[in-house]
């Protein structure tokens, strides 16, 4: 039977949407495959790594009879990429294999039984559904994902905290040295607080899949699982277990020294100074006095960089050190023209915000130089 029939461009797009989590080598060979299920005019393509499951539903041509099989996802994508975008591609089932025809090309692919594919058991106790536009969630993830920990022994830091409460969705990420927080308004009121930690791999895959469109992404959280639905795609993921740190206690409330300056000039100044840091030591010193910000860095070869910015500032004289990467990453993931920096002294953490917008907060700990 004809399992599916579609233009190369459409079929490739559907496969690429689900194939991001597929690994070529896995302890379960079937997990290197994509599950193809057909019922009537609808075709479902599903992949899984036992932690995340992604399914896309599309109307691709083919016979209406129910059918299910699995085939190597990466190999199928590699074949499709070599074909012209307007080429009609047909997948046929024949003697336990899949036959791919496209123009004068023909490929015979090995399959594994659909019943061997380990589908994720979805939670029966999801909380209420709520949504934001895709482009909003994509922007929120962009604003905080850089602050996630990477393979930290404190496993609850290797991801992003999602908090839905009232009509607000808040995202928080921290690696213990810095913390990024941002929020957006929801379409409905969430009656009870929903709080989950999405794993790092889930966050990166969501960022890959989300578009800059207004179409909504629906979210539902359970005790050990989260579910996202958008653009014909269903995304189910396990959660990180553990208690996320109380982020409200980390955010400074009453720093008395405040400076507002251009984001781009500050980023450029820090990037110039960073040239004189080393891979092992990324420290830069900020010297703040009325009317002037000085950024300085040096290295073991006795090389030094000093960069000065004229600023509007009337507070205390402050000398403070930071990991320059923590500052540049935060500024690079912002799009506003101005930033507001609040400082207490040379030993307290700094708070970076956007003037007139309290939805984004970035806290960075100082370092001894």
């Amino acid at each position: 039977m004809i399992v599916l029939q579609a233009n190369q461009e459409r079929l490739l797009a559907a496969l690429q949407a689900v194939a991001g989590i597929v690994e070529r080598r896995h302890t379960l060979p079937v997990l290197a495959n994509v599950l193809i299920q057909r019922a009537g005019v609808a075709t479902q393509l599903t992949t899984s790594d036992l932690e995340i499951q992604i399914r896309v539903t599309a109307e691709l041509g083919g016979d209406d009879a129910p059918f299910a099989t699995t085939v190597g996802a990466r190999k199928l994508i590699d074949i499709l990429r070599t074909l012209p975008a307007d080429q009609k591609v047909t997948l046929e089932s024949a003697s336990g294999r899949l036959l791919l025809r496209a123009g004068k090309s023909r490929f015979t692919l090995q399959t594994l039984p659909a019943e061997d594919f380990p589908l994720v058991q979805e939670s029966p106790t999801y909380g209420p559904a709520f949504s934001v536009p895709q482009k909003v969630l994509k922007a929120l993830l962009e604003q905080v994902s850089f602050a996630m920990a990477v393979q930290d022994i404190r496993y609850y830091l290797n991801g992003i905290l999602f908090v839905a409460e009232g009509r607000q969705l808040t995202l928080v990420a921290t690696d213990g040295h810095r913390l990024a927080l941002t929020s957006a308004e929801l379409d409905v009121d969430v009656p009870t607080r929903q709080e989950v930690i999405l794993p790092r791999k889930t966050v990166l895959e969501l960022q890959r899949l989300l578009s800059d469109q207004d179409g909504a992404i629906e979210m539902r959280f359970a005790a050990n699982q989260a579910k996202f639905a958008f653009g014909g795609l269903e995304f189910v993921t396990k959660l990180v277990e553990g208690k996320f740190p109380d982020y409200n206690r980390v955010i400074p409330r009453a720093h008395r020294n405040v400076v507002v300056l251009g984001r781009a000039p500050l980023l450029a100044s820090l990037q110039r100074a960073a040239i004189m840091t080393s891979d092992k030591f990324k420290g830069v010193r900020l010297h703040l006095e009325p009317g002037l910000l000085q950024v300085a860095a040096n290295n073991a070869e006795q090389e030094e960089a000093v960069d000065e910015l004229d600023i509007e500032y009337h507070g205390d004289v402050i000398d403070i050190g930071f990991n320059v990467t923590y500052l540049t990453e935060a500024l690079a993931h912002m799009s506003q023209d101005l930033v507001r920096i609040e400082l207490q002294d040379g030993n307290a953490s700094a708070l970076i915000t956007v003037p007139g917008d309290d939805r984004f907060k970035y806290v960075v700990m100082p370092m001894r130089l």
Side-chain angles (χ1 to χ4, degrees):
M1 67 172 286
I2 296 177
V3 179
L4 56 87
Q5 191 172 55
N7 282 351
Q8 178 269 3
E9 191 173 26
R10 191 173 180 195
L11 181 54
L12 181 59
L15 276 165
Q16 287 177 325
V18 299
I21 59 172
V22 176
E23 298 173 9
R24 290 185 185 271
R25 290 192 176 91
H26 207 288
T27 51
L28 287 176
V30 74
L31 290 179
N33 286 12
V34 56
L35 171 63
I36 303 174
Q37 295 169 297
R38 185 161 185 87
V41 297
T43 301
Q44 290 186 334
L45 305 176
T46 307
T47 57
S48 172
D49 67 356
L50 300 181
E51 303 285 328
I52 303 170
Q53 178 176 290
I54 305 177
R55 172 177 291 149
V56 66
T57 302
E59 289 190 11
L60 303 171
D63 295 336
D64 290 346
F67 180 80
T69 190
T70 77
V71 65
R74 298 290 183 189
K75 190 171 291 182
L76 187 54
I77 286 176
D78 289 344
I79 292 171
L80 290 171
R81 280 178 175 156
T82 65
L83 300 173
D86 59 350
Q87 183 86 70
K88 179 168 282 190
V89 177
T90 301
L91 273 180
E92 298 178 31
S93 173
S95 304
R97 297 187 178 189
L98 278 184
L99 181 63
L100 187 153
R101 297 180 187 272
K104 295 184 178 181
S105 302
R106 188 176 69 181
F107 301 85
T108 303
L109 301 171
Q110 189 63 260
T111 63
L112 290 172
E115 52 268 26
D116 292 349
F117 194 87
L119 293 170
V120 171
Q121 190 70 33
E122 291 192 26
S123 172
T125 57
Y126 279 116
F130 52 91
S131 64
V132 295
Q134 279 193 58
K135 66 179 183 181
V136 171
L137 183 58
K138 185 176 182 178
L140 295 180
L141 291 171
E142 181 75 12
Q143 289 168 2
V144 302
S145 60
F146 64 89
M148 288 187 294
V150 181
Q151 296 182 332
D152 197 295
I153 192 171
R154 297 163 295 179
Y155 52 88
Y156 47 83
L157 300 184
N158 300 316
I160 290 181
L161 176 71
F162 275 57
V163 181
E165 187 173 22
R167 295 187 71 92
Q168 182 165 287
L169 175 67
T170 302
L171 274 61
V172 188
T174 180
D175 61 5
H177 303 286
R178 52 182 170 168
L179 179 144
L181 178 150
T182 189
S183 61
E185 189 173 329
L186 294 171
D187 64 330
V188 296
D189 190 71
V190 179
T192 56
R193 183 182 175 94
Q194 306 282 312
E195 186 172 326
V196 300
I197 305 173
L198 294 190
R200 180 182 180 85
K201 184 176 180 179
T202 296
V203 171
L204 298 177
E205 191 61 21
L206 274 177
Q207 287 182 287
R208 184 183 74 85
L209 292 170
L210 288 170
S211 70
D212 292 317
Q213 298 175 352
D214 290 322
I217 174 167
E218 183 185 270
M219 293 169 262
R220 299 186 72 185
F221 298 151
N224 62 345
Q225 208 171 71
K227 185 176 182 179
F228 301 86
F230 55 100
L233 191 143
E234 186 181 274
F235 189 111
V236 179
T237 177
K238 287 186 177 180
L239 302 174
V240 178
E241 297 181 4
K243 180 64 176 174
F244 201 83
D246 184 356
Y247 54 90
N248 285 310
R249 293 181 57 187
V250 177
I251 300 172
R253 301 293 176 190
H255 281 355
R256 64 178 182 268
N257 298 295
V258 178
V259 57
V260 176
L261 70 165
R263 180 189 66 87
L266 176 58
L267 177 58
S269 179
L270 289 166
Q271 288 171 332
R272 285 191 289 270
I275 296 170
M276 289 304 165
T277 63
S278 65
D279 291 338
K280 291 184 178 180
F281 187 74
K282 289 288 186 180
V284 294
R285 183 183 300 278
L286 271 59
H287 173 80
L288 203 61
E289 63 181 63
L292 179 70
L293 171 63
Q294 186 182 82
V295 181
N298 53 48
N299 57 35
E301 285 76 39
Q302 305 300 313
E303 297 173 323
E304 185 180 21
V306 178
D307 205 79
E308 294 184 350
L309 295 173
D310 295 325
I311 57 172
E312 285 287 330
Y313 176 68
H314 308 286
D316 300 339
V317 175
I318 296 176
D319 279 296
I320 188 168
F322 292 108
N323 181 318
V324 70
T325 302
Y326 295 166
L327 295 179
T328 56
E329 284 188 344
L331 295 171
H333 285 85
M334 300 166 68
S335 58
Q336 295 82 0
D337 293 334
L338 298 175
V339 294
R340 174 186 171 100
I341 303 175
E342 299 179 28
L343 298 162
Q344 183 67 18
D345 51 41
N347 300 311
S349 59
L351 174 63
I352 300 175
T353 58
V354 176
D357 184 355
D358 62 356
R359 291 175 298 177
F360 174 78
K361 295 180 174 68
Y362 181 68
V363 182
V364 58
M365 297 288 290
M367 67 183 297
R368 294 186 180 276
L369 297 180

